[in-house]
Amino acid sequence: MKRKKRAISLILTAAVILAAVILPVPAVSLEDIPFADVRPDDWYYEAVSYAREAGLMNGTGGGKFSPGSPMTRGMFVQVLSSMAGADCSGCTLRHFADVSPGRWYFGAVEWAAGCGVTSGTGKFVFSPEGLITREQIAALLYRFAVATGNDTSMGGIAAGFPDRDKVSSYAREAVDWAVSHGLLKGSGGLLKPRDNATRAQAAQIFYSARELFPNKEIISEPVELPLPDELEIRLYGMSLGEKVGQLFLPRYPGADSAQSMTKKYAPAGYMFFEKDFQGKTKAQVRDMTARCQSSSKTPMLLATDEEGGTVVRISSNPELAPKPFDSPGNIYRSGGLPGLIEDTRSKSRLLLDLGINLNLAPVCDVSTDPGDFIYKRSLGLPAGDSAAAVAAMVQAMEEEGISGSLKHFPGYGNNKDTHTGVSIDKRPYEQFLKEDFLPFGSGIEAGAPAVMVSHNIIQCMDGSRPASLSGAVHRVLREEIGFEGVIMTDDLSMGAVRLYTGGKSPAVEAFRAGNDLLLTTDLAADYDALLGAAKSGKVPVVDIEASAMRILKWKASKGLL
């Protein structure tokens, strides 16, 4: 009797006054229990002994119970299912992206979802490894009481606690119920609803409330929760760091660093430049791209610029192509649309054969003046003809199964090179409507999955920021032109951006402007900046997830997932 009084006294001083569920069971044996870290004079000794004998909680290995270790959500639901005597072997549905079949808690979590005990923490996530809080315990126990037809009446509420307003809205009724039945008595005059519980405290909870649940059988009707699709399972099963990683397309770091970079940052893929192909045979390039794919949990976008003419990353290597691809403008002038289509197909087949699944093309900029910086890379045609040619090129790429990216929105025009400095476009908006937007619109209608935004400052849309960092420019692309796919930046290391940001990482500003995919040469700095902003709340996680989902849908549409 002295031991029991001492245990109760210590429970009160330790502020462990949550109680929970348990059915009548044989009297607790006070024989020694096989846990080296649980002694007869510990305040939780009887509770641990009870939990063990009732088959609710076992040790953590090595002859230990780990009483001071945190209780996770997965552990708690497993105890509930054991208390109910649930047969979880037939649970085959998967309601939560972060609860994989084969995990020790899978059946218990699915059982709890099916009987209405839990609906997860939101967005197909259960957080099984998350530490369980006092209010979560109250919510799970209350829902279990409902599902088993036990007492859910309330003789009082938690209004007497000054921190009752800290209770989450979903748990208020459950916390009031727990207070009403003396299961939640608070600590130091406070509820502390979001404090975590240890394994010893959880054992005490079940021990203290063992008579509250005379019925352990689920009598409620099965609950049908929505099931995630494959992309939702993939997205919501990612950590925040992995979701942020999917928003970057960094420069390929070389074979020696690629595997470690992939493991650390989980990028959407890599950009390859001419130096990455120099001196390599086709077999060596295939091996390079295959190694990238095999090192990544999520299949990668492997990209290069193979425009033809002045930008030929791959075909400049005679081991990979008989000769460099000519510029689209020259191809069109000599062979018209049929020649341009065949040239596009040839490029696409070559890239795909080498493991490259994204060609950062076609160039949609409208330029008819040979003196313009962009002229040699453009089709060199009036807007209407450019629009028809772009649509034909995109359609050919789509039919071959390779991705493309329309560039450089909203149109380069006669502006100077932004690789080295800032370029200010002073043309009126009407000119963009009548000319520059047309090839982008036709390419989008033809099925282009991505659009690349330039670093030019477009005065008629936003005179203070480069287009790649301008929310106004991105709103035009989304709302005026109606593009629903992936918006990507041009390389954020280019001079026009670095000069604007004073050398600081532009990643957060670029993402907040509306880009989904950030091309970067400095992945470490840009990734850390965006991840830090997501963790601090400066960038909403829901926005990170929306962009990551666009990228996953893109990959799925090309058969990568």
Side-chain angles (χ1 to χ4, degrees):
M1 193 66 179
K2 286 183 178 179
R3 182 184 293 153
K4 199 163 189 176
K5 287 182 178 179
R6 183 180 180 188
I8 294 173
S9 174
L10 286 170
I11 292 167
L12 291 170
T13 58
V16 183
I17 325 289
L18 267 176
V21 192
I22 277 305
L23 324 166
V25 294
V28 176
S29 169
L30 298 184
E31 298 296 327
D32 288 342
I33 53 179
F35 301 127
D37 52 357
V38 179
R39 299 179 299 274
D41 58 348
D42 289 327
W43 62 263
Y44 44 77
Y45 180 84
E46 290 184 18
V48 172
S49 179
Y50 162 76
R52 173 178 171 270
E53 290 190 13
L56 302 181
M57 298 179 71
N58 296 314
T60 56
K64 294 183 177 182
F65 182 78
S66 303
S69 295
M71 187 76 172
T72 66
R73 288 170 52 81
M75 291 176 186
F76 197 85
V77 170
Q78 181 67 53
V79 175
L80 279 180
S81 70
S82 297
M83 186 182 71
D87 179 7
C88 302
S89 62
C91 297
T92 58
L93 296 178
R94 184 176 181 182
H95 288 92
F96 305 108
D98 58 347
V99 180
S100 302
R103 297 291 292 170
W104 60 267
Y105 44 69
F106 176 79
V109 172
E110 286 304 318
W111 163 81
C115 61
V117 171
T118 184
S119 57
T121 56
K123 289 189 177 178
F124 304 112
V125 171
F126 179 75
S127 305
E129 306 295 342
L131 306 186
I132 196 163
T133 65
R134 291 159 62 90
E135 67 179 10
Q136 289 174 351
I137 287 175
L140 289 170
L141 293 177
Y142 178 68
R143 292 170 190 166
F144 184 81
V146 172
T148 53
N150 287 297
D151 187 4
T152 57
S153 64
M154 297 190 193
I157 59 173
F161 292 92
D163 61 342
R164 182 178 181 267
D165 62 334
K166 303 296 184 184
V167 179
S168 301
S169 58
Y170 77 87
R172 285 194 178 157
E173 185 178 15
V175 168
D176 285 345
W177 168 79
V179 170
S180 174
H181 287 274
L183 306 181
L184 188 61
K185 298 181 180 179
S187 171
L190 298 174
L191 282 170
K192 297 184 179 179
R194 301 184 186 182
D195 279 10
N196 302 124
T198 65
R199 285 173 52 81
Q201 291 169 350
Q204 184 62 48
I205 288 166
F206 285 102
Y207 176 57
S208 299
R210 63 192 181 280
E211 296 180 358
L212 184 63
F213 292 81
N215 179 39
K216 67 178 182 178
E217 182 181 356
I218 301 295
I219 62 173
S220 60
E221 293 294 322
V223 174
E224 292 188 11
L225 297 176
L227 294 171
D229 61 30
E230 291 185 12
L231 291 184
E232 288 166 331
I233 288 174
R234 188 178 287 274
L235 174 63
Y236 297 120
M238 291 179 178
S239 66
L240 177 58
E242 289 171 328
K243 292 171 185 173
V244 169
Q246 284 298 299
L247 310 186
F248 286 97
L249 190 69
R251 183 186 290 254
Y252 177 65
D256 294 338
S257 302
Q259 187 170 359
S260 59
M261 179 179 280
T262 301
K263 183 177 181 180
K264 184 174 183 178
Y265 300 108
Y270 287 115
M271 296 186 294
F272 294 88
F273 288 78
E274 187 172 351
K275 72 178 184 63
D276 301 312
F277 302 106
Q278 284 178 345
K280 287 186 173 69
T281 64
K282 287 187 176 182
Q284 289 172 323
V285 173
R286 293 187 193 109
D287 181 68
M288 175 179 69
T289 56
R291 286 177 181 272
C292 290
Q293 294 290 15
S294 65
S295 67
S296 179
K297 289 197 301 184
T298 303
M300 289 185 149
L301 295 169
L302 300 181
T304 195
D305 298 275
E306 189 66 25
E307 299 171 8
T310 60
V311 182
V312 282
R313 312 294 194 201
I314 289 178
S315 62
S316 59
N317 179 355
E319 292 288 331
L320 305 179
K323 63 178 181 179
F325 285 104
D326 201 354
S327 70
N330 286 343
I331 296 291
Y332 184 87
R333 282 185 284 274
S334 63
L337 275 181
L340 193 60
I341 291 170
E342 183 52 39
D343 177 73
T344 301
R345 290 188 183 279
S346 296
K347 288 178 191 171
S348 301
R349 291 167 186 159
L350 173 62
L351 269 59
L352 288 170
D353 179 58
L354 297 173
I356 301 296
N357 51 38
L358 169 58
N359 189 4
L360 298 175
V363 173
C364 297
D365 303 287
V366 176
S367 173
T368 57
D369 184 349
D372 294 343
F373 159 73
I374 204 67
Y375 176 81
K376 291 182 179 180
R377 296 172 61 187
S378 75
L379 287 157
L381 300 172
D385 293 335
S386 291
V390 165
M393 294 166 73
V394 170
Q395 186 175 350
M397 294 175 77
E398 288 293 303
E399 290 174 353
E400 293 296 334
I402 196 169
S403 289
S405 180
L406 310 178
K407 63 185 187 185
H408 309 80
F409 188 83
Y412 230 101
N414 59 355
N415 292 279
K416 66 180 183 180
D417 185 4
T418 54
H419 285 79
T420 57
V422 177
S423 178
I424 300 176
D425 191 328
K426 299 179 180 181
R427 294 177 296 155
Y429 190 70
E430 290 73 16
Q431 185 170 349
F432 286 93
L433 288 173
K434 294 178 181 178
E435 298 179 4
D436 296 74
F437 290 168
L438 298 186
F440 291 99
S442 67
I444 291 168
E445 289 181 6
V451 173
M452 179 186 290
V453 180
S454 78
H455 297 318
N456 292 339
I457 294 176
I458 316 297
Q459 279 194 339
C460 63
M461 301 179 203
D462 185 342
S464 62
R465 297 176 182 83
S468 56
L469 307 182
S470 169
V473 171
H474 287 76
R475 283 192 291 276
V476 169
L477 181 54
R478 290 285 189 214
E479 298 171 14
E480 299 298 323
I481 297 181
F483 182 58
E484 298 179 352
V486 171
I487 300 178
M488 63 169 63
T489 67
D490 207 339
D491 193 340
L492 292 177
S493 68
M494 289 167 61
V497 173
R498 293 293 175 179
L499 288 172
Y500 174 81
T501 61
K504 296 180 181 179
S505 170
V508 174
E509 194 168 350
F511 180 75
R512 294 179 69 179
N515 296 289
D516 302 300
L517 187 60
L518 312 181
L519 276 65
T520 179
T521 298
D522 191 357
L523 178 60
D526 290 341
Y527 173 92
D528 287 346
L530 188 54
L531 179 59
K535 288 180 175 179
S536 70
K538 184 178 180 181
V539 170
V541 173
V542 65
D543 292 346
I544 297 285
E545 291 173 340
S547 288
M549 179 58 83
R550 283 196 189 97
I551 291 162
L552 291 176
K553 286 181 177 178
W554 177 10
K555 292 181 176 182
S557 72
K558 290 294 182 284
L560 297 179
L561 302 183

